[in-house]
Amino acid sequence: MSETPHRRGRLSQGPDLLFCYGTLQFNDVLKGLLGRIPHRTPASAPGYRTAALEGRVSPGLVVRAFGGAAPGVVLTDLSNAEWRILDTFEDEQYDLRKVALSTGATGWAYVWLGGDVRAEDWDAAEFEARHLSAYAERCARIGPRLAAGEPKGQ
């Protein structure tokens, strides 16, 4: 597994709850990456939005200037090995950070650091209709490699 100092530091604080706002909300994606569907609870992240990103089918969680909340789910029963898989899956343009959740809990989310943020929000229904099948197939191909500690690749 490709571990830069930044990537090693992402899991050093022992994260527990993972807030998923994009592709990781979909059962087929989770099943492909982890081989199972973890327990999920609906939640949102106040003060954030799920932004569409230029040139990507996946979104980025970014701070919202005025009100609102990014919808999503919280994964509550990830093992350490599953955290490593998901952390390798998320590239270096995402940073694992604590976020306040609508449930009153604090969880962790992969917050977008890169540029290319579009003005519009990411559309989960459009992703599901146009991209989910191919995306989930890709996740099913790379999931076993990530579980074996290999880099994501393409």
Side-chain angles (χ1 to χ4, degrees), residues 3-10 92:
E3 280 204 15
T4 64
H6 171 70
R7 187 171 294 282
R8 273 193 303 272
R10 294 203 309 197
E92 296 272 341

Side-chain angles (χ1 to χ4, degrees), residues 17 24 47 49 52 63 70 77 94 138:
L17 306 177
L24 293 178
R49 74 179 183 96
V63 173
D77 65 340
Y94 292 91
R138 177 178 173 259

Side-chain angles (χ1 to χ4, degrees), residues 79-135:
S79 69
N80 288 339
E82 290 169 332
W83 269 102
R84 284 191 298 279
I85 289 167
L86 295 178
D87 194 60
T88 302
F89 177 71
E90 298 293 353
D91 64 40
E92 296 272 341
Q93 289 183 282
Y94 292 91
D95 188 33
L96 186 61
R97 294 184 182 169
K98 278 188 175 182
V99 296
L101 301 172
S102 59
T103 61
T106 300
W108 295 84
Y110 285 96
V111 177
W112 180 250
L113 297 176
D116 301 325
V117 174
R118 294 170 42 185
E120 70 271 15
D121 287 345
W122 183 73
D123 187 330
E126 180 182 346
F127 170 81
E128 184 173 21
R130 296 183 62 202
H131 303 288
L132 178 59
S133 180
Y135 195 90

Side-chain angles (χ1 to χ4, degrees), residues 5 14 27 29 32 38 41-42 44 48 50-51 53 55 66 78-79 84 90-91 96 100 109 114 141 149 154:
N27 289 343
V29 172
T41 303
S44 62
Y48 287 90
T50 306
L53 302 174
F66 302 103
L78 293 172
S79 69
R84 284 191 298 279
E90 298 293 353
D91 64 40
L96 186 61
R141 284 192 310 273
Q154 298 298 323

